[in-house]
Amino acid sequence: MTPILYLVIPCYNEEQVLPLTSGKFKAKLEELIEAGKISDESRVMFVNDGSKDTTWDILTSLCEEDKKYAAISLAHNRGHQNALIAGLMEAKKYADITISMDCDGQDDINAITQMVDEYAKGNEIVFGVRNDRSTDSWFKRTTAQSYYKFLRGMGVDIIPDHADYRLMSSRVLNALEGYGEVNLFLRGIIPQLGFKQSVVYYSRAEREAGTTHYPLSKMMSLAIDGVTSFSIRPLRLITVLGIIVALLSFIGIIYVLVSVISGYYVDGWASTTCILCFVSGIQMISLGVIGEYIGRIYLETKKRPRYFVAERKNLTEE
Ligand code: UDP
Ligand code: MG
């Protein structure tokens, strides 16, 4: 029996890009249906992440024109990761396999065929991995590479150059549903789920229209999420740092005592100030790191729902 595939595509303020890309997704789906690789019940499913422009109107009319499209709309803008989870959990009700991807045409649609072929070989998770970063700016490339190195250093196991372009079976999604945390960092959790996994390489294109929703500030917060939701190594490093500073201080105290006993006095203003600045800097950073973790504990203890589905189109539970 051929599997039912749902493409899960989050969209936030994408009115410029949707008219360009939506047809390509459908064409790919139909090509796969024709080739007998996936079932006729497969769909292109969009998730409107509380867009403020005409994105939902565009999606609604697409769904009215063609039953191959489906869509859900979230009550609020909940961010890319939550929109993805909302879409995946919805798709799980109907599909055997899902492929999550961006709606801006950056994820090469031809990799979908390879992903479906990998699934047919028995893989339940297939990661789309970029084979080069030449379309990125120098800044994004360098920060991304240093970030992967940093994550490795912190003991987090993620697949380099893999964003959220991936195939997952419904069995994998059932496992994912068990992760109730608010700060869900999919790129870190999914490799940990186990199951049979494989990788498909693709080259990432430029955005077809519109602008990125990941400015530096959002990239930073995703980066911090990646570390704090998988590793407590930063907290340990604080302890190590504390021990080193304490040892240095001890040596300093001995030096001061010896100086005093031997009757050697200096003004000492510069050295005192330097030590003061150094130690208080370290203390502030340490407090900040601890604060990051406490903040996350605070968010998790409230157990607030991640999203609300406000509307559905071409889905049976409308
Ligand atoms: N997106 C979303 N909610 C948001 C921000 C982004 O659903 O709050 C979607 C967006 O429409 C796109 C995908 O997430 O399909 C990735 O965003 P974007 O292309 O802006 O990021 P980039 O590819 O530049 O990292
Ligand atoms: Mg993009």
Side-chain angles (χ1 to χ4, degrees), residues 14 102-107 204 207 212-214:
E14 299 284 12
D102 281 13
C103 72
D104 53 15
Q106 286 193 283
D107 297 330
R204 194 162 162 95
R207 224 174 201 282
T212 175
H213 302 96
Y214 273 101

Side-chain angles (χ1 to χ4, degrees), residues 108-122:
D108 176 17
I109 51 167
N110 294 313
I112 295 177
T113 317
Q114 284 165 272
M115 287 185 177
V116 172
D117 289 344
E118 286 296 313
Y119 172 76
K121 286 185 207 156

Side-chain angles (χ1 to χ4, degrees), residues 251-283:
I251 296 168
I253 291 168
I254 293 175
Y255 170 75
V256 170
L257 286 179
V258 172
S259 306
V260 170
I261 292 164
S262 57
Y264 179 72
Y265 286 94
V266 277
D267 279 349
W269 176 83
S271 58
T272 313
T273 314
C274 288
I275 293 168
L276 202 71
C277 292
F278 175 68
V279 175
S280 42
I282 286 187
Q283 280 177 344

Side-chain angles (χ1 to χ4, degrees), residues 118-308:
E118 286 296 313
Y119 172 76
K121 286 185 207 156
N123 294 295
E124 299 212 41
I125 308 177
V126 186
F127 298 101
V129 173
R130 306 172 59 168
N131 51 16
D132 75 301
R133 281 194 165 259
S134 54
T135 51
D136 275 2
S137 65
W138 175 86
F139 179 72
K140 193 148 185 171
R141 199 160 53 228
T142 322
T143 46
Q145 274 160 1
S146 344
Y147 179 56
Y148 290 126
K149 276 201 193 125
F150 176 64
L151 277 182
R152 281 269 161 82
M154 288 294 132
V156 187
D157 180 26
I158 65 166
I159 295 177
D161 294 330
H162 160 69
D164 285 297
Y165 188 17
R166 72 176 84 81
L167 176 145
M168 285 184 276
S169 71
S170 53
R171 232 156 58 100
V172 172
L173 291 174
N174 282 331
L176 184 66
E177 200 175 20
Y179 286 73
E181 58 220 78
V182 178
N183 286 303
L184 204 55
F185 185 64
L186 290 172
R187 288 169 217 186
I189 283 176
I190 290 162
Q192 283 188 0
L193 291 176
F195 296 97
K196 202 159 175 249
Q197 313 182 343
S198 81
V199 166
V200 157
Y201 293 94
Y202 73 101
S203 78
R204 194 162 162 95
E206 305 265 10
R207 224 174 201 282
E208 292 205 11
T211 48
T212 175
H213 302 96
Y214 273 101
L216 188 60
S217 57
K218 269 205 196 170
M219 256 160 64
M220 290 288 288
S221 80
L222 188 70
I224 294 175
D225 264 350
V227 180
T228 53
S229 52
F230 282 93
S231 169
I232 56 161
R233 209 169 278 182
L235 293 175
R236 291 224 179 100
L237 287 180
I238 290 178
T239 316
V240 174
L241 206 65
I243 293 170
I244 294 172
V245 172
L247 279 176
L248 288 176
S249 312
F250 186 67
I251 296 168
I253 291 168
I254 293 175
Y255 170 75
V256 170
L257 286 179
V258 172
S259 306
V260 170
I261 292 164
S262 57
Y264 179 72
Y265 286 94
V266 277
D267 279 349
W269 176 83
S271 58
T272 313
T273 314
C274 288
I275 293 168
L276 202 71
C277 292
F278 175 68
V279 175
S280 42
I282 286 187
Q283 280 177 344
M284 288 311 241
I285 294 170
S286 308
L287 275 178
V289 174
I290 296 168
E292 280 292 331
Y293 282 89
I294 294 182
R296 261 142 249 264
I297 296 170
Y298 168 70
L299 289 174
E300 295 298 343
T301 49
K302 287 194 290 195
K303 288 201 167 48
R304 288 191 176 164
R306 295 193 194 108
Y307 55 82
F308 295 110

Side-chain angles (χ1 to χ4, degrees), residues 12 48-52 73-79 306-308 310:
Y12 176 57
N48 172 36
D49 184 17
S51 299
K52 291 174 186 72
S73 184
L74 304 187
H76 278 291
N77 177 240
R78 302 295 296 132
R306 295 193 194 108
Y307 55 82
F308 295 110

